[in-house]
Amino acid sequence: MGVKSKAALAIVVLLLFLGSLWLQGGLDYHWDSCIKGYNRVNKLHHLYNSSEATALDDSMLIELCPGQKFQVSLLLSHLQAGPTGPSDVLLEPYLASWDELVKFMEALGSVVGLISKEIETKTTIIRQLASSPEDDREAELNPEILPMKTEAEQKPPTHTPAYRSVRSMIHVELEKDMVDFHQQTDSGCRTLLRLHRALLWLKLFLEKLADTPATGRLRSPSDLCREAYQKSLANHHTWFVRRAAELAFIAMPERTFFFRLVCVEDQVELSIVLTKVVQALEKVYNRTQIALEEHGMLDLP
């Protein structure tokens, strides 16, 4: 077996390992789709907020990309629908944004795609909490506090307004003593924190990918992703996971791949689209950060 083959095998083994550790129990200590075609069409996806759509650069409409799962127009529409009131974020569009970001990660291949499975686990936890009867939510987190119900006493799952937004979820879980500040639980708040940390990583990466330096060559997505990781998730990972993650970023696709993924033709267009996405993402991130910080939840175990 040659040197390159051995290196490739080592990366595959590391990726499999990272897939189980990256988000296992949280982002603090643990780490396929193909582009089928590139045919541009003049069909702008309808955004949740039409006023936001008019704010797009007139020379660069965000279009649907036929033949692929990830749609940047959908991601933008979900992100723009998230902020509500002066400082809150609606959970439904927030989780829908993650659905699209999962497709984005899967499109990057095995380097990042494995992480998407754990992200889906996190979004599923919050969705299940949002659709479970109130007593059942408490029993899931504290199974000894409630007696077993008979089949006739069990209520069918219904959506509850308590999980309408980030702040309403924080309020109800604190009120019901569902958040443990000393040990791990599958509370919505703790799960949100893990998603929140991952969102910072993706925000920094997309921000760097959108940057177009006035002079010099464009840097590789691999280097940019590594830097974004070092400024975000690396702060919550063990030394071994950090080393393994940085090695895995070597297989990140080249910049032209991202042109096709976002349905643009060059760096100028990519910068316009990603800048708009980053602005919307940053607004969601900042509101979530403030809500978690106000309740001392930035370091939940």
Side-chain angles (χ1 to χ4, degrees):
M1 183 179 292
V3 174
K4 290 185 177 180
S5 297
K6 290 181 179 179
L9 180 59
I11 290 177
V12 169
V13 172
L14 281 171
L15 289 174
L16 291 173
F17 180 69
L18 287 172
S20 63
L21 293 186
W22 182 275
L23 285 175
Q24 184 62 38
L27 288 172
D28 45 355
Y29 46 78
H30 293 303
W31 181 311
D32 45 20
S33 62
C34 298
I35 301 303
K36 297 181 179 178
Y38 176 51
N39 298 310
R40 295 169 60 88
V41 295
N42 284 324
K43 183 178 181 182
L44 177 65
H45 183 78
H46 293 294
L47 303 179
Y48 281 127
N49 188 340
S50 59
S51 64
E52 293 287 349
T54 59
L56 292 172
D57 191 301
D58 292 336
S59 65
M60 185 65 245
L61 296 181
I62 299 183
E63 305 167 349
L64 285 173
C65 297
Q68 64 186 48
K69 292 171 64 178
F70 170 70
Q71 297 291 338
V72 68
S73 60
L74 274 176
L75 172 60
L76 181 59
S77 69
H78 295 319
L79 288 170
Q80 290 175 336
T84 184
S87 60
D88 208 354
V89 176
L90 295 173
L91 280 177
E92 186 174 350
Y94 176 86
L95 296 175
S97 300
W98 269 115
D99 291 341
E100 211 58 36
L101 286 169
V102 163
K103 296 174 187 176
F104 172 78
M105 290 187 288
E106 288 177 341
L108 301 184
S110 57
V111 177
V112 184
L114 287 173
I115 307 169
S116 66
K117 303 306 178 186
E118 288 296 335
I119 292 291
E120 287 181 300
T121 299
K122 301 303 180 188
T123 57
T124 298
I125 289 173
I126 296 179
R127 283 184 167 123
Q128 288 176 341
L129 288 168
S131 62
S132 298
E134 187 172 291
D135 288 347
D136 287 351
R137 288 199 303 274
E138 294 185 59
E140 286 175 8
L141 298 173
N142 304 284
E144 297 182 359
I145 66 174
L146 292 173
M148 293 294 294
K149 295 181 180 180
T150 66
E151 185 174 346
E153 293 175 323
Q154 292 178 352
K155 300 176 182 178
T158 56
H159 179 74
T160 169
Y163 283 76
R164 176 179 177 272
S165 70
V166 167
R167 287 186 178 274
S168 67
M169 178 178 68
I170 291 175
H171 174 76
V172 73
E173 291 200 343
L174 285 176
E175 187 179 61
K176 299 297 182 181
D177 198 25
M178 297 166 65
V179 182
D180 196 318
F181 289 83
H182 305 291
Q183 62 184 7
Q184 298 177 29
T185 64
D186 281 337
S187 67
C189 293
R190 179 184 184 277
T191 304
L192 176 69
L193 175 61
R194 271 59 193 177
L195 292 173
H196 181 65
R197 290 171 177 172
L199 198 63
L200 176 59
W201 165 54
L202 289 173
K203 182 186 82 73
L204 293 175
F205 174 50
L206 294 177
E207 194 172 46
K208 292 175 180 293
L209 200 60
D211 184 45
T212 305
T215 58
R217 298 180 58 183
L218 292 170
R219 300 179 62 198
S220 71
S222 175
D223 289 341
L224 300 179
C225 192
R226 184 183 299 106
E227 285 186 5
Y229 171 77
Q230 290 170 344
K231 293 181 179 180
S232 55
L233 290 178
N235 298 321
H236 309 284
H237 286 170
T238 63
W239 179 90
F240 179 80
V241 174
R242 291 198 301 270
R243 299 287 82 77
E246 292 177 8
L247 177 60
F249 290 140
I250 295 174
M252 180 70 65
E254 294 299 324
R255 188 174 292 266
T256 52
F257 174 87
F258 293 91
F259 295 167
R260 298 193 299 273
L261 187 60
V262 184
C263 268
V264 298
E265 295 182 346
D266 53 34
Q267 178 62 27
V268 173
E269 292 185 355
L270 181 69
S271 180
I272 292 172
V273 172
L274 292 188
T275 296
K276 190 66 181 178
V277 170
V278 169
Q279 289 172 348
L281 200 159
E282 187 169 32
K283 189 172 184 179
V284 170
Y285 177 85
N286 288 343
R287 287 177 172 227
T288 306
Q289 174 79 5
I290 292 172
L292 292 171
E293 185 175 19
E294 286 178 354
H295 295 87
M297 292 183 175
L298 292 179
D299 295 305
L300 288 177

